[in-house]
Structures are given as C-alpha cells and as structure tokens.
Amino acid sequence: MKQEDLVKEIASIRNLMEKSSKFISISGISSVLIGTYALLGAAYAYYEIYGFDSQMGYRDHYVNEPVIIVKLLVTAMLVLFASIFTGVYMAIKKAKSNRQSIWNTTSRSLLYAMAVPLCTGGLFALISISKENYTTVASILLIFYGLALTAGSNYTFNEIKGLGILEIVLGLLALLFPGNGIIFWALGFGVLHIIYGIIVHKKYE
C-alpha cells in the first residue's frame, strides 16, 4: 500500500471514530435561527424597559413593575421553547439525513454534561429575580450557559468550547458594566449564536 493511500485510510478511520464518539447532528442553521430569536426577544425586552430611548450608555434604573416583569418572563420562555424546538427538530432532521440515531450514548453524555450547569444557572436566575436582583440575571445566564457549552464540548464540535468561553467572558463583562445586561445578553445569545451557526454550517454542512 502506498503512503498516500495509507494516509487516506487512516483519515477515513479517524473520521468514523469521531462520528461515533461525537454528536454531530447539531445544525448550523438552527443556531442561526436561535440567535435570531434571541435578538428579537432582546429587542422586545429593551423596548419594554427603555421604550424608544436608544441611548446606549449606563442604565441607572431597572424593572420594578410586576406587569413588565411578567412580560419579560413570558418573552424569555417563548424564546427558550422556540429555541429548544428548533434545535431538536433540526437535529432530528440532520440525523435522519445522515442515517444516524438522535438518541445514543454520545447524545446522552452531551445532555448530562450540560444539564447540571444549565439547571443550576436557571434556578440561580429565578432566585435572583425573586429577590429583585435584576442586575445579575444576564450575567448568570451567560456564565452558566458558557459553562454548559464547555462541559459538553468534548461530545460535539470543537467550536462549541470557543463559543462557551466567549459566553463566559460576556457574562463577566456584564457584571463589570451593570445596567447593560440586555446588550450583553443579545451579544451572547444572539450575535455569537449566529456567527457560530454560520461557521458550523460552512465547515461541516
């Protein structure tokens, strides 16, 4: 066997091993859609809190009206459910096209790795809201989401780890610049998701 053929054979074996050990049914297009949902939700939240005031400086007031809080929570839940539905639906569709199972050892490992930081962050955010500590909510969600991504990065595309680190950085910056949580939230869950989705789509799809 020629050296060139041997290299190709090794690359083929490596590719098969990677497919069997990593969850590759994540769709880049779904990430773009999820990022779009987040931007729309952030735009609505910005309008509810600040109206049409487009000043991007320091925010010295926060939500303290129950009606607005309910609207923001409903918006957040709608964005969450739409994102989960889109991600799962397109992952199933991609897995079928690749003749792969959506629920296997790798996908279960990915889910378990991400579940603890995601659930912890969600509960932490709800507790902060109940204590009317709204300034930290965006930071909490970004940081724990980033931790979840880095924890699950061993079971899927390597780019997930980079996305997770950037989410954590944005969460920490949101703590340093209180009053701008919506902006950092939009950057993390919106812009970064769209950029990541485009990269994954071009590279793997």
Side-chain angles (χ1 to χ4, degrees):
M1 182 180 290
K2 295 181 180 180
Q3 184 175 359
E4 184 178 346
D5 294 333
L6 182 60
V7 171
K8 289 182 178 179
E9 187 70 21
I10 293 173
S12 178
I13 294 173
R14 182 179 178 182
N15 185 46
L16 288 173
M17 291 179 64
E18 184 172 308
K19 285 185 176 181
S20 63
S21 63
K22 291 193 174 184
F23 184 72
I24 59 173
S25 295
I26 297 176
S27 169
I29 298 299
S30 69
S31 183
V32 173
L33 291 174
I34 290 170
T36 302
Y37 302 155
L39 289 178
L40 291 173
Y44 176 75
Y46 185 92
Y47 167 75
E48 283 292 339
I49 297 174
Y50 304 114
F52 290 104
D53 181 10
S54 60
Q55 182 181 355
M56 303 299 284
Y58 178 81
R59 302 298 178 188
D60 59 358
H61 63 283
Y62 300 94
V63 180
N64 56 11
E65 297 181 19
V67 175
I68 294 181
I69 293 174
V70 171
K71 287 182 180 180
L72 296 182
L73 287 175
V74 170
T75 301
M77 294 304 294
L78 288 175
V79 171
L80 176 62
F81 288 134
S83 299
I84 293 174
F85 175 81
T86 300
V88 172
Y89 173 77
M90 297 196 74
I92 293 174
K93 187 176 180 180
K94 184 177 179 181
K96 285 183 178 180
S97 66
N98 292 332
R99 296 181 178 179
Q100 296 176 334
S101 172
I102 189 69
W103 188 244
N104 50 42
T105 302
T106 305
S107 61
R108 286 194 293 270
S109 298
L110 174 63
L111 179 62
Y112 296 153
M114 297 182 67
V116 172
L118 283 178
C119 292
T120 303
L123 291 173
F124 192 179
L126 289 175
I127 292 171
S128 295
I129 292 172
S130 69
K131 299 295 184 180
E132 298 185 359
N133 189 9
Y134 306 118
T135 61
T136 61
V137 173
S139 300
I140 291 168
L141 294 176
L142 286 167
I143 290 171
F144 279 90
Y145 180 59
L147 291 173
L149 292 177
T150 55
S153 62
N154 291 328
Y155 304 101
T156 185
F157 301 124
N158 293 328
E159 287 77 8
I160 284 284
K161 181 175 289 186
L163 176 62
I165 292 172
L166 290 174
E167 298 284 359
I168 293 171
V169 170
L170 282 177
L172 294 174
L173 288 174
L175 283 175
L176 290 174
F177 299 97
N180 295 285
I182 293 178
I183 296 173
F184 285 105
W185 195 91
L187 289 174
F189 292 106
V191 176
L192 285 184
H193 260 281
I194 292 173
I195 294 174
Y196 164 79
I198 293 172
I199 292 173
V200 168
H201 180 70
K202 288 186 175 181
K203 188 173 181 178
Y204 299 104
E205 300 173 17

